[in-house]
Amino acid sequence: MKKGFAGWVLALWAMLWAGAAIAQQSVAEEAVRRLESFVTQTGAAQGRFRQEVLDPQGRVVQRSEGRFVYERPSRFRWEVTAPARQLVVSDGKTVQVWDADLEQVVVTPLTQALSGSPVAILADAQALHREFAPEGGQMEGDHWAVRLRARSAEAGIVRVVVEGEGERLLRMRLEDHFGQTSEITFTEFARAWSVPPAEFAFTAPPGTKVLENQPGRR
């Protein structure tokens, strides 16, 4: 599993599902309102993405692409199809992180997977308000962008920028403490009325090492 892969994904879906708390801030009110509108009116969606990871000098160190699907409040599938197969999937109770190259899957209860991550707040929408503060927002026609920073110095993600146009999500940019940035562009994005439960299920291939990450275990 590439370092930080699961963390980026949890951060991404947390931002999609927690917009109502952001709206309590007064910075760039209209841009924030657009983000809130997108979140509250998009209960399920699917599409495709491209992702680039950049080092502190702005050089691309990793590229990937794949597909996603989610259904609020806590079910999602983020599947990298190239250059290597990776998957983070939640059925609303557990999060499974699978790496084909390592031939292993890590299974973690949803609440534990989100605990301690200021942007991984699928189970607690108010956490975004507690842990992040708006730094600004921009509007240009129907295009909006909201920039947020972490309140805690211990947060894994320092800054998040969310961009959209109307009710469509365009891209996200996540920056960590080491200056590494993940830029995610949604090349396809479509709302869905409902999602087949099979999208949120995963059975590890034969021979896969299954690691149970349980609270209190050492």
Side-chain angles (χ1 to χ4, degrees), residues 186-199:
F186 297 95
T187 55
E188 297 178 19
F189 189 95
R191 290 181 178 180
W193 291 107
S194 63
V195 180
E199 289 280 17

Side-chain angles (χ1 to χ4, degrees), residues 27-109:
V27 178
E29 182 176 343
E30 178 59 18
V32 172
R33 189 191 68 78
R34 294 294 185 94
L35 174 57
E36 179 190 21
S37 177
F38 162 77
V39 173
T40 57
Q41 296 183 31
T42 309
Q46 57 189 352
R48 301 194 63 82
F49 66 88
R50 290 196 309 264
Q51 181 173 355
E52 289 186 339
V53 179
L54 295 81
D55 68 13
Q57 288 71 47
R59 296 172 299 204
V60 177
V61 296
Q62 183 181 337
R63 286 189 174 94
S64 60
E65 61 182 59
R67 62 182 291 267
F68 71 89
V69 59
Y70 74 87
E71 188 170 48
R72 296 173 60 194
S74 57
R75 301 200 300 170
F76 63 84
R77 184 183 191 93
W78 180 267
E79 186 172 1
V80 173
T81 55
R85 297 182 65 193
Q86 294 176 313
L87 175 69
V88 177
V89 60
S90 168
D91 62 3
K93 297 179 180 179
T94 61
V95 175
Q96 296 188 71
V97 180
W98 175 64
D99 190 304
D101 289 345
L102 296 181
E103 297 185 318
Q104 74 174 32
V105 58
V106 180
V107 183
T108 306

